Amino acid sequence: MATRTGRSGETRLSAIGRVGRYTIWVQGRVASGVAEWLGPGVEVREACRHGRQATVIANIVADQPAIVGFIRHLHNAGILLLSVERIERGRVSPPGTE
């Protein structure tokens, strides 16, 4: 499999495994137990987005494969994904290592 090198000289495949901080918006209400799927420090709160009921799942510290797995979990539960945003670039310590 070929990889491309970014401006920093790092291959894109190695960047996928780096831990980052994410916020995910979903439509409707989601049980607070969702935070248990993601580990400590995750916040789940109700919000309004574009005049509709939504849920914000914030302060998720994970690598991209974990985020993709969580999105699949939401999809399998019938939850509509509105957005996924990486909040910080650079190094973030995984939970329990700080």
Side-chain angles (χ1 to χ4, degrees):
M1 173 188 255
T3 60
R4 293 186 203 161
T5 302
R7 287 185 214 173
S8 67
E10 183 175 66
T11 63
R12 288 185 184 184
L13 289 180
S14 65
I16 289 173
R18 268 192 297 180
V19 173
R21 190 173 310 273
Y22 295 85
T23 296
I24 297 176
W25 285 76
V26 297
Q27 186 171 313
R29 292 182 178 161
V30 175
S32 60
V34 167
E36 294 172 9
W37 301 340
L38 298 165
V42 175
E43 303 168 25
V44 178
R45 64 184 183 277
E46 292 182 17
C48 186
R49 185 165 185 174
H50 305 296
R52 295 187 177 199
Q53 179 68 40
T55 299
V56 181
I57 307 165
N59 204 31
I60 303 166
V61 177
D63 60 10
Q64 278 194 5
I67 290 295
V68 169
F70 179 63
I71 290 168
R72 285 186 180 144
H73 190 76
L74 293 172
H75 174 76
N76 291 339
I79 298 169
L80 180 64
L81 180 68
L82 298 175
S83 71
V84 177
E85 181 181 5
R86 184 174 177 139
I87 303 302
E88 294 179 15
R89 293 191 60 101
R91 294 187 162 250
V92 177
S93 299
T97 62
E98 296 176 337

